[in-house]
Amino acid sequence: MSDLNHTATAGFESRFGQSPAGLWSAPGRVNLIGEHTDYNDGFVFPFAIDRRTVVALGLRTDRLIRVASSFAEDTVELSLDDLTPENLGGWSAYPLGVAWALGQFGADLAVVPGFEVFIDSDVPIGAGLSSSAAIESAVAVALTDVWELELDRPMLARVGQLAENRAVGAPTGIMDQSASLLGRADAAVFLDCRSLDAELIPLGFDAAGLELLIIDTRVSHAHSTGGYASRRASCENGARLMGVSSLRDLDVNDLARAGELLDDETFRRVRHVITENQRVLDTVRTLREEGPTAIGALLDASHVSMRDDFEISVPELDLAVEVARASGAIGARMTGGGFGGAAIALTPHALVPVVSAAVTSAFAARGFGAPDLFVVRAADGAAREQA
Ligand code: GLA
């Protein structure tokens, strides 16, 4: 049994005094490219990573829900009859929000039994690697099994997104949950966020001698506050002024008209989304035709666009990207929602220690707190674990 399976089982047994009915897990994700495009009905290209959240879960005979985790002392209890977004808060809003959201997608919450769940995870929190989507996706697959629901993976991604939007209060898109639910080892998920059509594209990093290095700046971010929501509002405003239902309906040929119609800030927000959608398509095509060593320039261009047009980078992310490139990475960019979190650096295997040392000493020289650097691999999405 893996360590997390073991600790989740032990945690369940000590909090609830019996064995769980089963274990389910879901991974965090990293986004290779396609940032702030998901809620604009655009394209994203994330992959599930080899850091997971495991939930141990058992049904009750009454209507009570009890949730506990390795990252909080408290056990939160709530009746299924009181399950509304307004009643939820803190860390337990993630698992309880999913139970509520399943009700919005057809589960009959008036008849299902209550449950107990213990959550353990090795997805770093606050690093932009979707620790929250990992919880949501793991709970979603577990409850789908034990409540015997007929919901496919794209639907469960929408369940997780609804939980995040309504129970947690972060106006995020569909990318993170989709990656966590649909990911596969050695592949990334090319997702059309309008149709929810998903295609697994082999990455081939190993064969090309490449690693994806995560540089967690440890600058914390929260998407339920400020910047994320204001970027989303700018995009919606830009789409309205351009006369389209979402920015997905525009492409690089519309940039000249956008430049005439929009104020400078809105224009730059819109230009980021339009060019980022194009970069996702270009990355997928380049991977297929030339392999991963050829995608570096697209990653670099994505970072510049987020730094200058979308303005969601911070000095620590810019430094991480700049030093990683200068010390041997073939491409680098901030990843995730921005305002902190992590950068990624696509790096030749042999240069990982060199890039790591260079970034660490550059952070110290600038007086920034020490970053956390580690390599991630593309892993399988959410699944039931063998006990
Ligand atoms: C966060 C959100 C996603 C997506 C990214 C930016 O991770 O949860 O839905 O919008 O930011 O690409």
Side-chain angles (χ1 to χ4, degrees):
M1 209 194 261
S2 80
D3 283 358
L4 275 176
N5 288 0
H6 185 77
T7 52
T9 304
F12 187 98
E13 287 169 353
S14 85
R15 295 285 179 111
F16 303 122
Q18 56 180 326
S19 294
L23 297 169
W24 290 259
S25 78
R29 67 96 188 91
V30 67
N31 191 17
L32 195 56
I33 197 160
E35 225 65 84
H36 287 262
T37 45
D38 60 354
Y39 57 77
N40 289 301
D41 281 351
F43 302 105
V44 292
F45 197 39
F47 62 83
I49 59 173
D50 51 350
R51 300 284 191 112
R52 298 182 84 79
T53 292
V54 174
V55 302
L57 188 139
L59 287 177
R60 295 176 57 91
T61 51
D62 59 13
R63 301 268 301 153
L64 198 62
I65 305 175
R66 300 173 79 199
V67 294
S69 73
S70 60
F71 38 84
E73 294 287 311
D74 55 332
T75 298
V76 177
E77 296 193 2
L78 191 75
S79 164
L80 274 160
D81 302 314
D82 298 326
L83 199 56
T84 60
E86 297 70 38
N87 284 343
L88 307 181
W91 72 270
S92 64
Y94 295 97
L96 293 172
V98 167
W100 166 79
L102 284 167
Q104 304 297 302
F105 278 83
D108 189 351
L109 296 190
V111 303
V112 293
F115 61 90
E116 286 161 343
V117 65
F118 186 89
I119 303 169
D120 201 357
S121 181
D122 65 6
V123 184
I125 293 173
L129 298 177
S130 294
S131 54
S132 54
I135 297 174
E136 290 153 4
S137 301
V139 171
V141 291
L143 289 177
T144 299
D145 277 359
V146 298
W147 282 347
E148 299 177 354
L149 307 174
E150 305 276 326
L151 292 170
D152 62 13
R153 296 273 164 132
M155 204 66 98
L156 290 185
R158 292 176 60 199
V159 166
Q161 183 193 12
L162 185 65
E164 184 104 16
N165 292 169
R166 292 287 311 281
V168 179
T172 49
I174 193 84
M175 168 169 73
D176 307 343
Q177 295 81 5
S178 300
S180 182
L181 285 156
L182 300 172
R184 278 282 168 271
D186 303 319
V189 182
F190 173 36
L191 179 71
D192 177 336
C193 298
R194 172 168 273 173
S195 65
L196 296 190
D197 284 346
E199 195 181 343
L200 290 163
I201 311 284
L203 285 166
F205 288 172
D206 239 11
L210 294 172
E211 303 279 7
L212 196 79
L213 181 63
I214 304 287
I215 307 166
D216 177 7
T217 64
R218 290 189 164 136
V219 176
S220 73
H221 68 285
H223 298 321
S224 44
T225 52
Y228 186 95
S230 81
R231 294 307 181 281
R232 187 169 180 156
S234 273
C235 291
E236 283 160 8
N237 186 36
R240 195 173 46 76
L241 294 169
M242 289 293 286
V244 290
S245 67
S246 78
L247 295 182
R248 162 64 180 277
D249 296 317
L250 303 177
D251 65 25
V252 286
N253 298 315
D254 295 300
L255 282 172
R257 187 167 63 92
E260 285 161 19
L261 218 62
L262 306 175
D263 66 85
D264 174 61
E265 185 180 284
T266 309
F267 171 66
R268 287 184 293 111
R269 306 297 188 245
V270 167
R271 180 166 64 183
H272 165 72
V273 174
I274 290 177
T275 58
E276 186 78 351
N277 273 328
Q278 188 60 48
R279 280 186 290 272
V280 175
L281 300 176
D282 291 346
T283 301
V284 172
R285 196 196 61 242
T286 304
L287 254 184
R288 281 184 169 134
E289 292 174 1
E290 301 170 56
T293 50
I295 67 170
L298 289 159
L299 303 184
D300 295 344
S302 172
H303 185 76
V304 169
S305 180
M306 287 187 284
R307 186 191 64 199
D308 299 345
D309 275 356
F310 219 58
E311 296 181 282
I312 54 171
S313 191
V314 295
E316 288 85 348
L317 286 167
D318 292 339
L319 183 68
V321 164
E322 186 190 310
V323 175
R325 285 292 280 115
S327 58
I330 66 166
R333 58 184 285 276
M334 54 146 286
T335 186
F339 307 103
I344 55 173
L346 191 58
T347 307
H349 181 78
L351 292 179
V352 167
V354 178
V355 171
S356 303
V359 170
T360 302
S361 62
F363 268 56
R366 276 279 283 275
F368 293 158
D372 189 17
L373 292 104
F374 52 94
V375 159
V376 290
R377 299 273 166 86
D380 285 339
R384 184 165 190 160
E385 297 280 304
Q386 299 307 319

